[in-house]
Amino acid sequence: ITDFEIEAEPGVMIKIYMIRPKSLPEENNAAYIYAHGGGAIMLEAKSENPGMVVTALNLQCIVFNVDYRLGPEAKAPKGQCDFAAAVRHISQNATKYGVDKNQMCMAGISGGGWICFGAGNQLAKTGEAHLVKANFVHTGMLSDETAHLPED
């Protein structure tokens, strides 16, 4: 696991952890860009690194675990914009990281799913939705449908 920082917006740096299995080739790897859970108000990316190691090994890809800004200090959509900036950075530096920029997806759980969904919206607004080929959103923060049971 290595880490690096990017400038998400002028004067604002965010950390990204890169988990790259040793078994992967030097280039043309898929990228899984991940947003940690915590309701977008708590926790940090580093705590998810052990699970992301398993994900990288199981999927045989490079995982980028993004430490986006949290609320309430960072007002929405700052965290989503941070994540979109991470996607842009990884795409623009795909060769450096050994990534095939045509095989990038993003994913998030709980509040991270909300971050992912919003980042997808931010990318769409700027005509950059094509940077990711899939968005795996694992969250109940977008709907209350999972709280309703069908009537017998």
Side-chain angles (χ1 to χ4, degrees):
I1 300 174
T2 58
D3 63 73
F4 57 91
E5 289 189 343
I6 66 163
E7 190 171 42
E9 63 180 46
V12 176
M13 303 301 288
I14 61 167
K15 186 178 280 191
I16 301 173
Y17 296 93
M18 184 171 76
I19 299 115
R20 180 191 180 95
K22 292 177 183 176
S23 60
L24 292 181
E26 290 299 312
E27 56 188 24
N28 297 322
N29 295 290
Y32 184 92
I33 307 166
Y34 182 74
H36 65 84
I41 61 165
M42 61 185 174
L43 304 179
E44 61 183 0
K46 185 177 185 177
S47 66
E48 298 267 353
N49 280 343
M52 291 299 99
V53 167
V54 174
T55 297
L57 290 169
N58 285 341
L59 298 179
Q60 284 297 287
C61 69
I62 301 172
V63 171
F64 294 88
N65 187 8
V66 180
D67 210 11
Y68 55 86
R69 287 178 285 172
L70 303 173
E73 296 79 14
K75 303 294 182 210
K78 296 290 187 188
Q80 298 168 344
C81 292
D82 291 351
F83 198 85
V87 170
R88 285 184 199 99
H89 173 83
I90 294 161
S91 178
Q92 291 165 358
N93 294 277
T95 302
K96 173 182 175 181
Y97 299 125
V99 167
D100 176 349
K101 65 181 179 179
N102 294 308
Q103 294 187 57
M104 292 180 22
C105 74
M106 55 188 187
I109 188 165
S110 188
W114 179 77
I115 291 290
C116 249
F117 191 85
N121 189 38
Q122 295 297 323
L123 292 168
K125 286 180 182 180
T126 57
E128 298 170 292
H130 67 280
L131 296 180
V132 292
K133 303 306 176 202
N135 188 351
F136 299 100
V137 178
H138 308 279
T139 186
M141 289 184 69
L142 302 176
S143 169
D144 67 350
E145 287 301 312
T146 57
H148 298 289
L149 296 174
E151 300 205 18
D152 291 329

